Amino acid sequence: MIIEKEIRKIKERNKRVELDKAWETSMTRKITITIMTYLVMVIFFYYAGLPKPWINSIVPAIAFILSTLTIPLFKNKWMKRKRMNIKGQEEIVGFIVIVVIVMIIGMVVLGISLRKTTTVETSKKYDNYLSAMMGYTTDCTSSNGIKEYNVEEILKECLNKRTCSDGKESCEVLNKTISEMLRATNPISEESITSSYKFRAMYIMNTTENTGEEIMTIEVGECKGISQGTSKSTSSIPGIIRIELEICGK
Amino acid sequence: MMTTKRRMNVSGQFKIQQMAFMLMAVIVFFVLAGLFYLMLKSTGLNKGFTELQQEKSEALALSIAETPEMSCGGVVDGGKQGCIDTDRLITIKNSKAYQELLPVSSIIIRKVYPEIRETKECESNNYPECNQYTIKENNKGYDSGEATSYVNLCRRVIDDQYVKNKCELGVIIIKI
């Protein structure tokens, strides 16, 4: 009677253990943890302000799925070693190696995610600013002395390597005017809100391409915040002159 | 037999309890996650609203600059956008009728390049050797924000018997 009772107890325990084991290896558990891992990572990415949280969070979720796979090749090797009664110390070394590898992978992923994005936000304010800059009348006068060129016109003169009526190079006047204008309106100092600015003008022959002959580039400071900017194109037959302006805050 | 049944019942109840706790934890987790997401969304909306208000104010500043009383109106370079005729500014500066017409509490137009170190209010006796035009200033009213927009400040100059256009860089500052 006592033995029967003991056997029943053992059977009950076995059933319970089997159920636990079944849950451990069940697809429901895997799916639930995968979804939860994904959601937690999405929330973390949002909170940390990291880019594309819905896409980047797929990585840890897939990593979890991989961790649940048995991987027969490694399993067989492990079982063979286990049967051979390899020392526990080796197990610990193996475990440490895995932890170190996971940590390195994690740090690499985090480093890539935290890398600063260099996107430039378009701004209506700087759109007006660039238009006003283009309309500024420079000191360069046409050879007949009738017309005083504005920045937009002197860009074309500079492209054609022409000189002003007073003998000055149009490119020199252009460079001086733009540099002074940018410095006066976007001062870079400890107190100012601007950390850097970049002005670039280039001649593009084929409008489908984004590169061309550079007319001038002015770059001052180092960007420490969000960059805002705008671009403008002006016709210079047979191509166009593309003007880009980027201003970075703190 | 009775004892075994009772033990099984207790075990079942324990499992149900465990399941209930688990479900509650999952629900609480999703509620918190949802709240967190909503909080982030509303922060983004607030930011968007502020940016939109700022853009609206800047557009208003530009539209004031383009009123016929101020704009270059085809006199300079075919009437380009954001161009203020400073010759006109001098004449409308003290016009009460124009000041009442505009739906803002303050309008100041300032030359920013070429730079003049100190602020010199433009009047007919010092024009164009000055850098600020105060069109309207009402400090008594409710100030709900300031907006600025870059503009060209253009005027006509006579040089060697030729009439030329001279445009400088300025900002229009409005207070709503």
Side-chain angles (χ1 to χ4, degrees):
Chain A
M1 201 64 182
I2 297 164
I3 295 168
E4 266 180 26
K5 207 175 172 182
E6 286 297 316
I7 290 169
R8 203 184 301 127
K9 258 187 186 176
I10 291 164
K11 277 184 176 176
E12 272 173 18
R13 187 192 162 276
N14 284 350
K15 263 186 187 176
R16 202 170 59 243
V17 171
E18 272 169 24
L19 262 175
D20 279 346
K21 185 71 188 165
W23 165 249
E24 288 295 321
T25 55
S26 74
M27 196 52 94
T28 315
R29 178 180 167 272
K30 285 177 190 175
I31 291 168
T32 311
I33 296 178
T34 306
I35 291 168
M36 282 171 76
T37 308
Y38 180 71
L39 290 173
V40 168
M41 289 315 291
V42 165
I43 292 163
F44 168 73
F45 271 62
Y46 257 118
Y47 182 72
L50 300 173
K52 295 177 185 171
W54 297 102
I55 295 168
N56 283 335
S57 302
I58 293 170
V59 179
I62 289 174
F64 169 73
I65 295 169
L66 284 174
S67 75
T68 62
L69 300 177
T70 322
I71 318 170
L73 178 74
F74 295 104
K75 188 187 171 187
N76 291 339
K77 278 194 173 180
W78 181 82
M79 285 171 87
K80 203 176 165 186
R81 275 173 169 243
K82 192 82 180 164
R83 255 180 244 131
M84 283 165 75
N85 200 14
I86 299 256
K87 284 173 190 170
Q89 277 177 347
E90 276 188 33
E91 293 285 316
I92 293 164
V93 171
F95 178 71
I96 290 168
V97 168
I98 290 166
V99 168
V100 168
I101 290 168
V102 169
M103 275 172 72
I104 290 167
I105 292 169
M107 279 168 77
V108 168
V109 170
L110 202 68
I112 292 165
S113 306
L114 290 172
R115 197 181 289 165
K116 211 178 248 182
T117 50
T118 53
T119 52
V120 180
E121 288 179 16
T122 51
S123 160
K124 180 79 185 142
K125 182 185 167 187
Y126 291 120
D127 210 25
N128 295 335
Y129 177 56
L130 190 59
S131 294
M133 273 175 89
M134 292 297 111
Y136 179 80
T137 311
T138 64
D139 298 329
C140 183
T141 317
S142 62
S143 52
N144 57 14
I146 298 172
K147 183 153 181 65
E148 283 186 334
Y149 293 122
N150 63 27
V151 171
E152 193 170 331
E153 289 161 341
I154 206 176
L155 268 168
K156 293 171 191 174
E157 295 298 303
C158 175
L159 179 68
N160 295 314
K161 310 272 185 256
R162 290 195 188 119
T163 52
C164 309
S165 63
D166 58 1
K168 276 185 189 166
E169 290 290 330
S170 55
C171 291
E172 194 186 309
V173 177
L174 174 71
N175 208 318
K176 184 176 172 277
T177 310
I178 298 283
S179 302
E180 283 180 1
M181 214 186 289
L182 284 166
R183 199 168 39 237
T185 48
N186 302 285
I188 297 171
S189 65
E190 286 293 313
E191 298 84 35
S192 66
I193 53 163
T194 308
S195 64
S196 74
Y197 53 76
K198 185 182 177 183
F199 179 93
R200 191 161 77 131
M202 57 183 175
Y203 178 70
I204 300 168
M205 187 76 164
N206 184 355
T207 49
T208 53
E209 289 172 13
N210 209 24
T211 53
E213 182 191 336
E214 192 166 293
I215 302 170
M216 69 174 295
T217 299
I218 297 169
E219 201 169 355
V220 178
E222 192 189 340
C223 187
K224 289 172 187 166
I226 296 166
S227 195
Q228 286 191 312
T230 188
S231 66
K232 189 179 159 67
S233 295
T234 179
S235 162
S236 180
I237 293 165
I240 57 157
I241 294 175
R242 189 174 163 82
I243 307 125
E244 292 170 353
L245 176 73
E246 274 177 43
I247 292 175
C248 185
K250 278 181 181 168
Chain B
M1 198 71 180
M2 185 90 167
T3 326
T4 318
K5 220 175 182 180
R6 187 147 184 90
R7 203 178 292 145
M8 276 172 78
N9 273 347
V10 170
S11 169
Q13 275 176 354
F14 183 70
K15 290 271 170 194
I16 290 164
Q17 218 172 31
Q18 232 180 2
M19 184 71 174
F21 275 122
M22 185 59 198
L23 280 173
M24 266 178 68
V26 169
I27 290 165
V28 166
F29 170 77
F30 279 110
V31 166
L32 285 175
L35 282 173
F36 189 72
Y37 176 74
L38 282 175
M39 199 181 78
L40 285 172
K41 268 274 174 205
S42 70
T43 313
L45 277 176
N46 275 339
K47 200 182 162 200
F49 177 74
T50 316
E51 276 171 9
L52 207 66
Q53 285 288 96
Q54 187 63 29
E55 245 176 55
K56 211 173 136 185
S57 306
E58 281 168 18
L60 179 65
L62 202 62
S63 68
I64 286 172
E66 280 169 7
T67 53
E69 289 84 354
M70 279 193 199
S71 77
C72 301
V75 179
V76 178
D77 292 342
K80 60 184 174 185
Q81 202 192 19
C83 176
I84 292 177
D85 188 338
T86 52
D87 296 338
R88 292 183 189 188
L89 281 186
I90 285 293
T91 55
I92 63 157
K93 207 174 161 301
N94 299 315
S95 162
K96 280 258 182 262
Y98 187 69
Q99 285 174 5
E100 282 165 17
L101 187 77
L102 298 167
V104 287
S105 66
S106 169
I107 305 169
I108 293 169
I109 294 153
R110 194 175 292 151
K111 184 164 85 178
V112 290
Y113 183 78
E115 277 181 291
I116 297 179
R117 290 272 170 225
E118 56 188 89
T119 306
K120 275 188 194 170
E121 183 65 28
C122 294
E123 301 294 347
S124 48
N125 58 353
N126 67 354
Y127 178 74
E129 303 305 320
C130 54
N131 62 352
Q132 185 166 296
Y133 305 83
T134 307
I135 305 299
K136 187 177 179 179
E137 196 163 31
N138 183 8
N139 294 326
K140 291 172 192 167
Y142 171 68
D143 178 16
S144 68
E146 192 180 277
T148 59
S149 183
Y150 283 95
V151 286
N152 276 131
L153 303 178
C154 300
R155 64 176 197 275
R156 272 154 298 283
V157 288
I158 298 168
D159 185 20
D160 290 340
Q161 297 175 331
Y162 294 110
V163 178
K164 292 174 183 174
N165 294 315
K166 180 94 183 156
C167 293
E168 293 167 322
L169 189 66
V171 282
I172 177 166
I173 306 157
I174 61 157
K175 279 183 186 168
I176 302 159

